[in-house]
């Protein structure tokens, strides 16, 4: 089973909280322990975010290439955004 990015991050946070609780119960929790656990969660979270962005880009790229080669069903729709002129007036893009 593949875990979503959110589920992976939840698992990391739960583990960090468990470690903090165990350290608190044993009397070894310090500010350094808290900072270290926070840094671990931030580091793993950043890796999960980068991984998610890379996966999203690659799947979007494959979809675009399939469409460009005529392999995508249904096609896509081009939407042009209006462009504001120098006087603030909206002109067709």
């Amino acid at each position: 089973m593949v875990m979503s990015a959110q589920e992976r991050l939840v698992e990391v946070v739960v583990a960090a909280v468990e470690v903090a609780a165990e350290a608190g119960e044993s009397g070894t929790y310090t500010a350094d322990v808290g900072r270290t656990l926070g840094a671990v969660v931030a580091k793993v979270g950043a890796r999960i975010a980068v991984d998610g962005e890379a996966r999203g880009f690659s799947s979007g790229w494959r979809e675009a290439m399939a469409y460009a080669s005529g392999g995508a069903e249904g096609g896509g729709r081009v939407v042009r955004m209006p462009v504001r002129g120098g006087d603030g007036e909206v002109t067709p893009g």
Side-chain angles (χ1 to χ4, degrees), residues 15-92:
V17 170
E18 287 174 354
V19 169
E22 290 171 7
E25 288 175 356
S26 68
T28 59
Y29 186 88
T30 64
D32 284 339
V33 170
R35 279 191 291 276
T36 302
L37 291 173
V40 167
V41 169
K43 182 74 108 177
V44 172
R47 286 184 182 170
I48 290 170
V50 167
D51 183 48
E53 289 175 7
R55 287 176 193 252
F57 174 80
S58 65
S59 67
W61 182 258
R62 282 192 301 270
E63 182 180 324
M65 291 297 97
Y67 177 72
S69 66
E73 300 217 3
R77 185 171 66 125
V78 175
V79 178
R80 295 187 188 269
M81 299 298 294
V83 178
R84 290 198 180 272
D87 56 0
E89 206 172 304
V90 176
T91 58

Side-chain angles (χ1 to χ4, degrees), residues 7-20:
E7 291 170 331
R8 290 168 51 199
L9 186 57
V10 166
E11 290 292 323
V12 171
V13 171
V14 167
V17 170
E18 287 174 354
V19 169

